Amino acid sequence: MKARVTVTLKSGILDPQGKAIEGALLSLGIVGVSSVRQGKVFDIEIDGSDRAKAEMLLKQAADKLLANTVIENYRVEVMG
Amino acid sequence: MKAAVLVFPGINRERDMARTLRLISGRDPAIIWHAETELPANTDLVVIPGGFSYGDYLRCGAIAARSPIMDAVRAYAAKGGLVLAVCNGFQIACEAGLLPGVLMRNARLKFICRDIFLKVERSDTPFTRGYNAGQVIRVPTAHGEGNYTADADTIARLEGEGRVIFRYVAPDGTRDPTFNVNGSTNAIAGIINERGNVLGMMPHPENHVEAAIGPTDGRGLFAGLVEALDRAA
């Protein structure tokens, strides 16, 4: 099964990389962008076809390694 | 002193650290590979050195923090064993849950490689007994992700419990945003855990210990540790 874990910075956490990208967009003449926050996407292949089990596995992976929950939130999707 | 210096793939400051430990304590530290599951018997200081473990992939220190040896380090620290975590070591210690908070990308986005000034906030810890409280020391720093951050409650607790040990300051010891090189919350450069036996810091005291190559302000940290361990023995 294909799955995706998306990791984003919690609101209130300063994101200097996002700020730099925001500035770069502006200097490229792409106006109308009021804020950029950078995150991470993990595309993961899961063995088997049990969706509930896959979701549990991905949550474990996110809690243990993929996200630092001090500063990051994550979202898990099993895409089948 | 029976020190153990941990080595992960991509760590590159372990030899500087080992050299300093030998110079100040007169004893070679054990060099411990990350895949080990135990520390040498009677280890009384674990050092997590600087570098770029796993190429800083995922998050700085994140993968190293999940290495087999880190379970042994957590167990050792839980029994009160001393841990010194420098630079990437500090990042690893935070990711491993030995210290609270996280080290984010430097606020000005640049890798910083130069001498900075630290105020030693306390001299009553095993790590800082070689200094006076309030003393300003000059040590090198070399990092891209040293911007210390934690939630407001954690910061309040660190400050309230006197667990901020080093702060970035101007040469005269005053707080000045231009000398807070990486934008850390409250100019925090080093903290200890609740029990006071784990110190994490971004700068490199191990690189300022020999007069032949510059200032020797880093010596106090290691000399103090040797003294603390001798006293405990």
Side-chain angles (χ1 to χ4, degrees):
Chain A
M1 277 185 298
K2 290 190 186 307
R4 176 168 284 182
V5 177
T6 309
V7 177
T8 51
L9 275 180
K10 287 184 177 172
S11 59
I13 299 285
L14 196 73
D15 178 13
Q17 290 179 96
K19 280 272 168 235
I21 295 163
E22 195 182 307
L25 288 174
L26 197 72
S27 68
L28 281 171
I30 299 172
V31 289
V33 174
S34 57
S35 157
V36 177
R37 315 260 302 155
Q38 185 179 312
K40 296 188 186 91
V41 169
F42 302 89
D43 285 328
I44 299 174
E45 296 269 352
I46 306 264
D47 293 336
S49 60
D50 185 336
R51 293 180 76 93
K53 209 170 132 191
E55 264 182 39
M56 234 169 64
L57 193 96
L58 292 165
K59 277 186 185 155
Q60 236 177 24
D63 281 325
K64 282 195 174 170
L65 181 64
L66 302 182
N68 180 339
T69 53
V70 175
I71 49 162
E72 292 168 326
N73 291 321
Y74 65 84
R75 195 174 67 238
V76 161
E77 294 164 85
V78 179
M79 295 177 292
Chain B
M1 179 190 270
K2 286 197 72 180
V5 176
L6 309 187
V7 179
F8 304 87
I11 285 287
N12 61 9
R13 296 294 192 116
E14 79 279 9
R15 291 171 79 169
D16 296 22
M17 190 58 85
R19 183 184 159 80
T20 291
L21 290 167
R22 184 174 60 240
L23 184 77
I24 312 254
S25 76
R27 248 186 114 135
D28 276 314
I31 304 291
I32 307 299
W33 186 236
H34 68 110
E36 298 289 334
T37 52
E38 276 175 48
L39 293 163
N42 307 318
T43 295
D44 54 15
L45 173 70
V46 168
V47 183
I48 317 179
F52 298 87
S53 58
Y54 294 90
D56 283 345
Y57 289 177
L58 189 62
R59 297 178 304 276
C60 298
I63 299 176
R66 276 80 180 170
S67 300
I69 194 62
M70 290 308 293
D71 287 330
V73 173
R74 269 189 290 264
Y76 160 89
K79 282 187 251 156
L82 296 179
V83 179
L84 169 64
V86 171
C87 200
N88 190 208
F90 187 10
Q91 297 162 341
I92 294 168
C94 287
E95 281 280 348
L98 289 168
L99 291 168
V102 61
L103 294 139
M104 305 271 293
R105 180 62 63 97
N106 294 343
R108 283 162 235 158
L109 294 169
K110 288 207 171 114
F111 191 97
I112 301 160
C113 185
R114 60 178 150 100
D115 284 6
I116 48 89
F117 297 91
L118 293 182
K119 183 176 178 194
V120 183
E121 294 284 359
R122 282 173 60 180
S123 61
D124 59 342
T125 77
F127 305 97
T128 52
R129 52 180 296 139
Y131 301 112
N132 297 315
Q135 188 177 341
V136 176
I137 60 171
R138 177 181 160 184
V139 282
T141 199
H143 62 255
E145 280 92 355
N147 179 351
Y148 184 81
T149 309
D151 60 73
D153 287 349
T154 303
I155 296 291
R157 208 165 58 241
L158 287 173
E159 294 287 358
E161 292 170 2
R163 287 164 53 194
V164 177
I165 302 301
F166 297 112
R167 244 186 263 273
Y168 302 104
V169 290
D172 66 359
T174 53
R175 290 269 290 276
D176 178 337
T178 52
F179 287 91
N180 181 11
V181 288
N182 51 31
S184 290
T185 305
N186 295 2
I188 291 171
I191 56 169
I192 49 171
N193 64 341
E194 214 171 328
R195 189 165 172 171
N197 61 315
V198 179
L199 171 77
M201 64 189 297
M202 283 315 293
H204 289 278
E206 76 275 19
N207 290 124
H208 268 186
V209 293
E210 286 171 283
I213 53 165
T216 56
D217 291 2
R219 286 189 82 101
L221 192 148
F222 298 94
L225 273 171
V226 169
E227 219 178 87
L229 288 168
D230 281 350
R231 196 166 280 217

